């Protein structure tokens, strides 16, 4: 499978990239990013980095390079802190919707004729738009509009079933497990707080936190078609399905 990955220099994106590099089912990872990959990512012939700055625009020459890709994991995102609603909506909602539409209209599909779009949303996303938090409203709107696009897509399919699938992931709290990632992406205070809070979260509130390696694996399994034909997954649902997969693997 050929995979498109955005947000590859963020905490989730870096872990997904490492997971994809190690996955024998993945033949190529095409990274779209403004910045070069950090030195914490091991060199791999699988990785193709395409510098890209405007995530609302996908020119024909770029789409031609994405032909044959069967999945896109959209891990690009920003904190709402310090942003007005218009700017936050443009990045969080408009960017992924523009990408999905461009890929679909260009007929980007994998060897199985499918395209799976995995969107990193977040716990608290509200598709009804009633959340009092900006991130909840905007991420919820993104989920709603991405899923609605699949229903409205008129791209040709060899069968009566859709060849386009959207997975909305709503992870809770996660933290970089790689020390270099943590040092680069989290403040000293945040790293100290994580050390203090981690035992509490695991013991008392396990449903709101997730291991970043497990999160990366879930995103990859969804991209490979192991999580159904498209759905929204809460943090709890992802953890339950991961546990099911692990139990199945241990018995095989």
């Amino acid at each position: 499978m050929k995979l498109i990955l955005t947000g590859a220099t963020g905490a989730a994106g870096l872990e997904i990239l490492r997971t994809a590099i190690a996955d024998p089912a993945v033949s190529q990872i095409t990274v779209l990013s403004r910045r070069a990959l950090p030195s914490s990512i091991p060199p791999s012939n699988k990785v193709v980095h395409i510098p890209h700055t405007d995530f609302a625009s996908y020119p024909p020459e770029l789409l031609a390079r994405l032909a044959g890709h069967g999945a896109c994991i959209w891990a690009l995102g920003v904190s709402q802190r310090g942003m007005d609603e218009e700017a936050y909506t443009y990045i969080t909602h408009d960017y992924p919707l523009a990408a999905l539409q461009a890929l679909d209209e260009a007929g980007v599909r994998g060897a199985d004729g499918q395209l799976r779009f995995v969107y990193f949303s977040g716990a608290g996303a509200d598709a009804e738009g009633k959340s009092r938090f900006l991130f909840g409203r905007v991420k919820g709107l993104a989920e709603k509009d991405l899923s609605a696009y699949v229903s409205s897509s008129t791209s040709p399919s060899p069968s009566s079933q859709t060849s386009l699938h959207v997975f909305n992931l709503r992870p809770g709290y996660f933290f970089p497990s790689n020390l270099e990632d943590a040092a680069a992406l989290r403040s000293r205070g945040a790293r100290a707080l994580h050390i203090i809070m981690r035992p509490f979260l695991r013991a008392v509130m396990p449903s709101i936190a997730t291991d970043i390696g497990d999160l990366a694996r879930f995103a990859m399994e969804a991209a490979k078609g192991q999580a159904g034909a498209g759905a929204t997954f809460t943090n709890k649902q992802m953890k339950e399905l991961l546990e099911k997969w692990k139990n199945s693997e241990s018995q095989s």
Side-chain angles (χ1 to χ4, degrees):
M1 179 187 77
K2 292 183 177 181
L3 170 71
I4 302 164
L5 177 62
T6 70
T9 57
L14 285 167
E15 194 66 25
I16 291 165
L17 182 53
R18 291 190 187 93
T19 303
I21 289 172
D23 192 329
V26 178
S27 59
Q28 180 177 318
I29 308 123
T30 300
V31 174
L32 303 181
S33 74
R34 295 181 176 90
R35 294 176 289 168
L37 295 173
S39 58
S40 63
I41 294 297
S44 172
N45 292 331
K46 285 185 178 184
V47 179
V48 176
H49 176 233
I50 300 179
H52 190 58
T53 56
D54 185 359
F55 287 88
S57 177
Y58 298 85
E61 57 270 22
L62 173 57
L63 291 169
R65 296 184 66 179
L66 300 179
H69 287 66
C72 174
I73 298 181
W74 194 271
L76 186 154
V78 293
S79 169
Q80 71 170 40
R81 229 177 273 120
M83 299 193 73
D84 62 41
E85 185 163 353
E86 182 178 2
Y88 184 71
T89 300
Y90 188 62
I91 294 171
T92 306
H93 170 276
D94 298 358
Y95 277 2
L97 195 61
L100 179 63
Q101 183 173 352
L103 293 171
D104 181 44
E105 291 180 351
V108 175
R109 296 293 188 273
D112 61 355
Q114 307 294 304
L115 177 65
R116 299 177 182 89
F117 193 93
V118 183
Y119 175 67
F120 263 71
S121 182
D126 178 13
E128 299 303 316
K130 297 178 181 178
S131 173
R132 62 191 180 94
F133 298 107
L134 177 61
F135 81 88
R137 296 194 305 274
V138 177
K139 284 184 177 289
L141 179 63
E143 292 179 1
K144 183 177 181 180
D145 287 349
L146 288 168
S147 297
Y149 179 84
V150 172
S151 301
S152 65
S153 173
T154 57
S155 293
S157 173
S159 70
S160 59
Q161 297 182 334
T162 181
S163 61
L164 185 64
H165 314 275
V166 166
F167 301 85
N168 296 308
L169 309 189
R170 293 180 174 179
Y173 172 80
F174 60 88
F175 196 87
S177 58
N178 181 279
L179 295 179
E180 289 186 56
D181 293 353
L185 299 170
R186 298 292 187 265
S187 68
R188 183 175 297 179
R191 299 197 300 272
L193 183 61
H194 172 71
I195 293 171
I196 296 169
M197 291 294 295
R198 181 172 53 184
F200 173 79
L201 290 172
R202 286 181 172 176
V204 182
M205 306 178 74
S207 65
I208 70 167
T210 190
D211 177 85
I212 196 169
D214 285 344
L215 180 57
R217 181 186 173 186
F218 191 93
M220 283 301 306
E221 294 300 329
K224 292 189 293 184
Q226 300 304 307
T232 297
F233 293 93
T234 64
N235 198 59
K236 182 180 178 182
Q237 290 170 329
M238 287 191 283
K239 294 181 79 167
E240 290 173 348
L241 197 48
L242 280 162
E243 191 63 29
K244 180 180 177 181
W245 289 335
K246 290 175 182 178
N247 289 337
S248 177
E249 289 167 358
S250 66
Q251 294 169 8
S252 61

